[in-house]
């Protein structure tokens, strides 16, 4: 009897040698045995997957920082690009159709085809990856719909929106513009809700899906008609907005390509990081022609797979490709090139009667694609389970004609669980109270840090592994605003010293007083400083030291701060520009003492002059970064210049290296040597050799303001020296300054003044328009009063608005070897 006969095996592993028995078709006892035809079973799902958000945003400009193909590639190359991408999927569809018409096809779509053709190992491996891809794609489609909805209606956001500032070249000067993007938590909340709703629809079975799918597709088709109506009416509605209507002149102007650079926001920028060419646009546009497997994924629910899959898939592929080609022609003749490159959503601009039609089309097209992905993924998983190759998947088996409810729940659990877990984690981390029981992560981090610290050892780090660990000296020369524990621009500068975004800074401030009396104040100040550097997004730690004076406190810090090779190697502080203006006579001795302590402790020094004018991350700088390389510093000055170029503020600048040579040296040979050295370091810079000739006050190349500053400094030093001599004469003691005996060689003082004068004059002559100047820090001369050294330094930095004074230490920080 037929009911007693063995069922034909459905797995490629089962019963290869078993006899073939003819069997009457069985009717399932339960389930929905609705079968779909070509239109609703293949054509509509493929059309919804192919014709998605890409159509609305990729032909003119971009949404969220990508570019459009017509604006960049022009009409001619855009037609070639669409034809190329469409041909790829068309050929794939031909192959799919050939396999689908080669015999009866059961559930599983591409999995069934590949498994029967290449074997179960390949079939299951690719099938499971394809299942996960469909599940994740459904989540991405949902996020696209939610983000478009929140962009169109920002008031619907539950959490606060985030703003990203981008530089827009709407004029000759780039201006920062705030681009509002939805909050991550809003995307998660709305995404979970929408995914649950779609899962309920999928759970209802094929009959419900067939009823709902047109509700997503019809408004999308209607929005396309509104866009084309708007294109034909554009000349009357937008006469002077860059939209010319269907114009032969615009068609000719936009025929050729106009590839260019854009910034990260997709805005044309000659100094942008992203360059678009034909290959890049292929990668950008190709997702617009994918999605041809949406119909074959439903093979178990089709009446006639051998007819429906080829006809429906080919029809969807050809119709969308023709639509894309027509759209390229229309958009190329619709607007000027500038309009195509600056309108972030041209389809919404021209849509008739209102732009909201386009937003509705984007939302429903992505929801329709999400629905098709969530429909196909469970059926694919059920088909793999039905083949009984992996026992772990037996839970997802379904009978012929039944809905894969278990697989649908599992798919929904993957689109929802990850998002929900992420949302809960962030909510607890932000709103939750800190527990006092600790956690295993902190213990693991601690053990990992100890192991890493021991592996570093205490030996010197090789230059190619050297990282700057700046010690940021927060104690200001003067006063800061209330509740601000560190100069804001000092924190910005600390971020500029990170190598490839990695590194750690140590922010230190000194509290004058007795430790036992000020211990609690120090804890409060440390918490405030830690909060501030976290607010400034600086990777680092905060420390407050209580000491009788700033000099003693710093001396303790420079000796004890850090562990092993994680000790700070660069001391960063602000130049005391206010010392003379506010008559702070104690500053020179403190300043000189700190520099001498750094030299003794073998710490590099970076002193920032013009800190108030230091740019933040949104203020783009142009011009040059000028290095005045006077003494060997281990390459620290070169390294700092390269670090500055990695920041958005200075990425448009060029480096110039000025080598200060003696009058009788061979300038050409020196220039060649420095060029070779920079070439070996793979650093691009222009080398300029400047000879320091004897000082001539009447020479034309001397800067007038430098001469005036020199005369003033000479006068003040003479007065100060006279007071020292008079005091020594009255007390019958040797010359004293800063609490110690000094020997003043007046000729040597004049030499120092002349040298700093000539260097300042050279800087003003060559680098007046530089974005930033780096110059070597001269060490304080022995037996010179600290006041004299401050006069030398003031003369060096006079009239230079933004200056980094750098002193390296007794080791290299750059190397010629990789």
């Amino acid at each position: 009897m037929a009911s007693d006969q063995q069922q034909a095996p459905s797995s490629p592993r089962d019963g290869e040698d078993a006899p073939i028995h003819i069997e009457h078709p069985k009717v399932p006892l339960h389930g929905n045995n609705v079968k779909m035809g070509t239109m609703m079973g293949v054509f509509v799902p493929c059309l919804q997957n192919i014709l998605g958000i890409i159509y609305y945003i990729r032909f003119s400009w971009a949404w969220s920082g990508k570019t459009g193909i017509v604006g960049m590639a022009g009409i001619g190359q855009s037609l070639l690009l669409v034809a190329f991408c469409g041909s790829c999927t068309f050929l794939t569809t031909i192959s799919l159709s050939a396999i689908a018409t080669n015999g009866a096809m059961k559930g599983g779509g591409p999995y069934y085809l590949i498994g029967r053709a290449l074997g179960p190992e390949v079939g299951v491996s690719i099938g499971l990856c394809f299942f996960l891809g469909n599940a994740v794609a459904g989540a991405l489609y949902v996020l696209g719909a939610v983000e478009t909805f929140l962009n169109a209606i920002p008031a619907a956001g539950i959490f606060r929106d985030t703003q990203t500032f981008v530089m827009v070249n709407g004029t000759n000067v780039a201006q920062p513009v705030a681009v509002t993007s939805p909050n991550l938590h809003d995307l998660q909340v709305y995404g979970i809700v929408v995914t649950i709703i779609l899962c309920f629809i999928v759970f209802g079975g094929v009959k419900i899906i067939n009823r709902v799918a047109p509700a997503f597709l019809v408004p999308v088709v209607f929005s396309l008609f509104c866009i084309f109506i708007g294109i034909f009416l554009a000349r009357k509605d937008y006469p002077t907005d860059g939209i010319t209507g269907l114009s032969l002149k615009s068609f000719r102007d936009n025929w050729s390509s106009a590839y260019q650079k854009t910034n990260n926001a997709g805005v044309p920028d000659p100094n942008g990081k992203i360059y678009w060419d034909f290959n890049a646009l292929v990668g950008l546009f190709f997702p617009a022609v994918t999605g041809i497997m949406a119909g074959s994924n439903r093979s178990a629910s089709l009446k006639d797979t051998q007819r429906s899959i080829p006809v429906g898939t080919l029809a969807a592929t050809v119709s969308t490709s023709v639509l894309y080609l027509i759209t390229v022609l229309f958009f190329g003749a619709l607007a000027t090139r500038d309009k195509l490159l600056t309108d972030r959503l041209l389809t919404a601009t021209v849509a008739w009667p209102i732009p909201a039609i386009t937003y509705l089309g984007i939302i429903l097209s992505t929801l329709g694609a999400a629905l098709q992905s969530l429909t196909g993924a469970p059926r694919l998983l059920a088909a793999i389970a039905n083949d009984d190759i992996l026992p772990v998947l037996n839970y997802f088996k379904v009978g012929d004609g039944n809905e894969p409810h278990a697989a649908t729940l599992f798919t929904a659990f993957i689109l929802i669980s990850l998002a929900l877990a992420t949302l809960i984690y962030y909510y607890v981390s932000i709103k939750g109270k800190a527990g006092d029981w600790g956690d295993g992560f902190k213990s693991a981090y601690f053990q990992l840090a100890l192991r890493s610290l021991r592996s570093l050892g205490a030996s010197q780090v090789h230059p190619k592994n050297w990282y700057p660990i700046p010690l940021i000296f927060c104690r200001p020369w003067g006063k800061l605003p209330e509740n601000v524990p560190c100069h804001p621009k000092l924190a910005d500068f600390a971020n500029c010293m990170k190598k490839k975004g990695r590194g750690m800074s140590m922010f230190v401030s000194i509290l004058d007083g007795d430790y036992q009396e000020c211990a609690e104040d120090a804890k409060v100040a440390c918490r405030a400083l830690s909060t501030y550097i976290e607010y400034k997004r600086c990777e680092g730690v905060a420390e407050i030291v209580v000491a009788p004076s700033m000099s003693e406190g710093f001396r303790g810090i420079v000796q004890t701060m850090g562990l092993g090779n994680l000790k700070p190697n660069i001391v960063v502080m602000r130049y005391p520009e206010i010392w003379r203006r506010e008559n702070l006579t104690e500053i020179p001795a403190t300043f000189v003492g700190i520099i001498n302590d750094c030299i003794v402790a073998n710490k590099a020094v970076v002193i920032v002059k013009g800190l108030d004018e230091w740019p933040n991350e949104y203020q783009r700088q142009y011009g040059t970064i000028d290095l005045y390389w006077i003494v060997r510093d281990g390459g620290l000055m070169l390294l700092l210049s390269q670090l500055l170029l990695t920041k958005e503020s200075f990425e448009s600048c060029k480096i110039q290296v000025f080598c200060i040579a003696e009058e009788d040296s061979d300038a050409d040979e020196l220039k060649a040597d420095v060029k070779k050295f920079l070439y070996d370091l793979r650093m691009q810079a222009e080398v300029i050799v400047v000879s320091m000739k004897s000082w001539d006050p009447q020479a034309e190349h001397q800067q007038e303001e430098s001469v005036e500053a020199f005369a003033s400094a000479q006068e003040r030093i003479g007065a100060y020296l006279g007071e020292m001599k008079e005091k020594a004469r009255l007390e019958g003691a040797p010359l004293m300054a800063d609490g110690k005996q000094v020997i003043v060689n007046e000729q040597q003082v004049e030499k120092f003044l002349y040298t700093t004068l000539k260097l300042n004059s050279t800087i003003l002559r060559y680098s007046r328009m530089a974005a930033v100047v780096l110059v070597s820090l001269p060490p304080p001369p022995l037996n010179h009063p600290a006041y004299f050294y401050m006069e030398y330094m003031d003369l060096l930095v006079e009239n230079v608005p933004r200056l980094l004074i750098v002193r390296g230490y007794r080791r290299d920080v750059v190397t010629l070897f990789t």
Side-chain angles (χ1 to χ4, degrees):
M1 296 176 59
S3 59
D4 297 330
Q5 292 172 347
Q6 180 183 355
Q7 183 179 357
S10 61
S11 168
R13 273 190 176 169
D14 294 338
E16 279 115 349
D17 298 326
I20 299 177
H21 300 281
I22 299 176
E23 180 178 38
H24 297 292
K26 297 180 180 179
V27 179
L29 298 178
H30 303 284
N32 191 345
N33 198 21
V34 176
K35 296 290 186 177
M36 295 180 289
T38 302
M39 176 63 71
M40 297 305 301
V42 180
F43 179 76
V44 170
C46 287
L47 193 65
Q48 285 186 309
N49 259 31
I50 298 173
L51 190 64
I53 187 174
I54 302 294
Y55 174 84
Y56 296 91
I57 67 176
R58 290 294 186 254
F59 281 101
S60 61
W61 187 239
W63 191 263
S64 300
K66 299 292 184 187
T67 188
I69 65 169
V70 180
M72 286 284 183
I75 299 174
Q77 293 194 22
S78 295
L79 292 173
L80 178 64
L81 187 150
V82 172
F84 172 75
C85 295
S87 300
C88 292
T89 51
F90 183 78
L91 293 176
T92 306
T93 304
I94 293 293
S95 301
L96 174 66
S97 302
I99 299 176
T101 56
N102 196 35
M105 182 176 176
K106 295 186 177 181
Y111 156 72
Y112 185 90
L113 299 177
I114 296 173
R116 270 49 177 184
L118 301 179
E121 293 83 1
V122 177
V124 172
S125 301
I126 296 178
L128 287 177
C129 292
F130 198 61
F131 159 72
L132 292 175
N134 273 272
V136 174
L140 295 179
Y141 286 131
V142 169
L143 287 178
V146 170
E147 183 175 357
T148 304
F149 170 73
L150 293 175
N151 279 324
I153 310 177
I158 303 173
F159 301 90
R160 183 179 179 184
D161 291 344
T162 58
Q163 285 189 336
T164 302
F165 287 88
V166 300
M167 306 304 293
V168 177
N169 286 332
T171 61
N172 291 332
V173 181
Q175 300 293 333
V177 175
V179 177
T180 302
S181 58
N183 189 280
L184 175 63
H185 305 315
D186 283 332
L187 295 176
Q188 292 170 332
V189 171
Y190 279 100
I192 290 174
V193 173
V194 173
T195 303
I196 292 175
I197 294 174
L198 292 178
C199 288
F200 273 116
I201 296 174
V202 175
F203 201 84
V206 174
K207 185 179 293 185
I208 301 297
I209 295 172
N210 287 346
R211 292 176 179 174
V212 173
F216 290 110
L217 183 60
V218 171
V220 173
V221 177
F222 177 72
S223 71
L224 297 181
F225 279 111
C226 291
I227 291 172
F228 280 99
I229 292 174
I231 290 175
F232 287 106
L233 300 178
R235 181 185 294 274
K236 181 175 66 176
D237 294 342
Y238 305 93
T240 60
D241 191 31
I243 299 178
T244 62
L246 296 178
S247 165
L248 185 60
K249 181 179 183 302
S250 297
F251 189 90
R252 289 195 301 264
D253 293 341
N254 294 329
W255 177 261
S256 59
S257 62
Y259 296 118
Q260 54 190 287
K261 292 182 179 180
T262 66
N263 57 25
N264 293 333
V267 179
D269 185 350
N271 298 309
K273 294 182 178 178
I274 305 172
Y275 178 75
W276 295 97
D277 55 14
F278 186 84
N279 292 335
L281 291 182
V282 169
L284 179 76
F285 179 75
F286 195 82
V289 297
T290 59
I292 59 175
M293 296 294 184
S296 62
N297 285 343
R298 299 172 165 207
S299 56
S301 302
L302 297 176
K303 294 179 183 178
D304 186 358
T305 57
Q306 296 188 49
R307 180 181 183 276
S308 295
I309 290 179
V311 174
T313 308
L314 284 171
T317 302
V318 172
S319 59
T320 52
S321 296
V322 171
L323 175 64
Y324 291 161
L325 293 172
I326 294 174
T327 303
V328 169
L329 295 173
F330 278 14
F331 273 27
L334 175 65
T336 62
R337 178 85 67 177
D338 289 339
K339 186 65 176 176
L340 292 174
L341 290 174
T342 55
D343 195 321
R344 296 185 67 81
L345 198 58
L346 186 60
T347 51
T349 303
V350 302
W352 178 88
I354 55 175
I357 295 292
T358 298
Y359 288 100
L360 181 64
I362 293 175
I363 294 172
L364 292 181
S365 67
T366 50
L367 289 180
L371 179 66
Q372 301 306 328
S373 295
L374 293 177
T375 301
R379 284 162 172 73
L380 181 59
L381 183 62
I384 298 174
N386 285 342
D387 275 348
D388 202 20
I389 296 176
L390 291 178
V392 72
L393 300 180
N394 288 342
Y395 300 101
F396 305 115
K397 285 184 177 180
V398 293
D400 186 22
N402 289 338
E403 291 294 328
H405 294 313
T408 302
L409 290 175
F410 180 70
T411 304
F413 175 78
I414 294 176
L415 298 175
I416 296 175
S417 60
L418 294 178
L420 187 61
T422 304
L423 182 64
I424 293 174
Y425 177 84
Y426 279 109
Y427 179 79
V428 172
S429 63
I430 295 173
K431 299 292 185 180
K433 295 181 179 179
D436 58 356
W437 54 80
D439 60 75
F441 287 110
K442 296 294 177 59
S443 177
Y445 294 154
F446 184 76
Q447 293 297 329
L448 180 62
L450 290 179
R451 188 178 300 114
S452 300
L453 187 61
R454 287 196 300 267
S455 65
L456 284 177
S459 58
Q460 285 193 353
V461 180
H462 192 274
K464 68 180 180 182
N465 300 323
W466 186 90
Y467 286 90
I469 306 178
L471 189 152
I472 311 298
F473 193 31
C474 299
R475 176 76 178 259
W477 309 106
K479 295 183 179 180
L480 284 173
E482 190 175 358
N483 299 326
V484 179
C486 180
H487 196 292
K489 294 299 181 69
L490 203 57
D492 292 336
F493 180 74
N495 282 333
C496 290
M497 299 187 67
K498 292 179 183 177
K499 187 176 182 180
K500 297 181 181 178
R502 300 188 294 265
M504 182 180 68
S505 303
M506 298 183 181
F507 291 80
V508 177
S509 189
I510 299 172
L511 190 63
D512 291 341
D514 181 74
Y515 176 70
Q516 294 183 355
E517 296 177 357
C518 302
E520 290 301 320
D521 294 338
K523 292 179 182 179
V524 173
C526 188
R527 286 194 295 268
L529 183 57
S530 297
T531 303
Y532 187 75
I533 63 177
E534 183 177 354
Y535 162 74
K536 294 293 290 184
R537 294 182 296 176
C538 296
E539 295 181 357
V541 296
E543 192 65 53
I544 302 294
V545 174
V546 180
S549 66
M550 185 188 298
S551 298
E552 294 186 27
F554 182 83
R555 188 163 295 170
I557 290 170
V558 81
Q559 294 181 77
T560 60
M561 182 67 69
L563 292 172
N565 269 326
L566 287 183
K567 290 183 177 180
N569 45 33
I570 302 177
V571 175
V572 179
M573 58 182 171
R574 182 185 186 183
Y575 184 77
E577 303 171 52
I578 64 170
W579 76 278
R580 180 180 294 109
R581 183 174 66 249
E582 299 186 10
N583 197 28
L584 300 176
T585 56
E586 75 281 358
I587 284 182
T590 304
F591 182 72
V592 172
I594 289 175
I595 294 177
N596 284 327
D597 289 342
C598 292
I599 295 174
V600 172
N602 196 25
K603 307 290 186 186
V605 182
V606 176
I607 302 171
V608 187
K609 192 261 183 180
L611 188 62
D612 294 332
E613 306 300 323
W614 192 262
N616 59 33
E617 55 183 319
Y618 307 117
Q619 296 173 321
R620 184 178 292 273
Q621 303 298 302
Y622 298 93
T624 59
I625 299 175
D626 291 354
L627 282 63
Y628 284 83
W629 203 2
I630 303 174
V631 296
R632 183 179 182 273
D633 62 356
L636 179 61
M637 197 181 297
L638 293 173
L639 178 61
L640 288 177
S641 65
Q642 295 296 316
L643 292 177
L644 290 177
L645 284 183
T646 63
K647 308 305 173 185
E648 292 187 8
S649 304
F650 293 96
E651 64 182 2
S652 301
C653 298
K654 306 295 182 183
I655 296 179
Q656 293 186 144
V657 177
F658 291 86
C659 299
I660 308 300
E662 296 180 0
E663 186 177 3
D664 55 350
S665 62
D666 190 340
D668 293 336
E669 182 180 356
L670 176 60
K671 183 175 182 178
D673 291 343
V674 174
K675 273 189 163 183
K676 177 66 167 55
F677 179 69
L678 295 177
Y679 176 80
D680 291 338
L681 289 174
R682 300 173 300 281
M683 294 183 180
Q684 295 182 352
E686 182 181 359
V687 179
I688 301 172
V689 176
V690 179
S691 298
M692 297 289 277
K693 300 181 180 179
S694 300
W695 174 249
D696 183 2
Q698 304 301 323
E700 295 182 359
H701 66 271
Q702 308 299 347
Q703 304 299 314
E704 184 178 349
E705 56 265 50
S706 300
V707 177
E708 294 175 358
F710 171 77
S712 300
Q714 197 175 33
E715 182 179 348
R716 287 190 297 268
I717 286 180
Y720 188 86
L721 182 58
E723 293 176 2
M724 289 174 55
K725 291 180 176 179
E726 180 63 19
K727 184 178 180 180
R729 186 185 65 80
L730 294 176
E731 295 179 356
L735 286 177
M736 300 290 292
D738 309 319
K740 60 182 180 181
Q741 182 177 348
V742 295
I743 303 174
V744 178
N745 185 328
E746 297 187 32
Q747 185 177 1
Q748 192 178 35
V749 172
E750 290 290 316
K751 179 182 177 181
F752 271 97
L753 281 175
Y754 279 137
T755 303
T756 52
L757 169 61
K758 288 185 286 185
L759 184 55
N760 176 261
S761 180
T762 302
I763 293 174
L764 294 180
R765 180 186 178 189
Y766 292 100
S767 306
R768 193 179 292 271
M769 302 302 294
V772 63
V773 177
L774 287 78
V775 65
S776 299
L777 172 69
L782 295 176
N783 299 321
H784 281 220
Y787 181 89
F788 287 11
Y789 184 72
M790 287 304 302
E791 288 289 355
Y792 307 150
M793 293 300 299
D794 280 356
L795 182 57
L796 175 63
V797 305
E798 183 74 19
N799 296 315
V800 183
R802 195 181 294 155
L803 185 69
L804 299 183
I805 314 170
V806 181
R807 178 173 178 81
Y809 54 114
R810 297 184 296 272
R811 58 168 307 180
D812 291 332
V813 297
V814 294
T815 178
L816 305 180
F817 305 101
T818 59

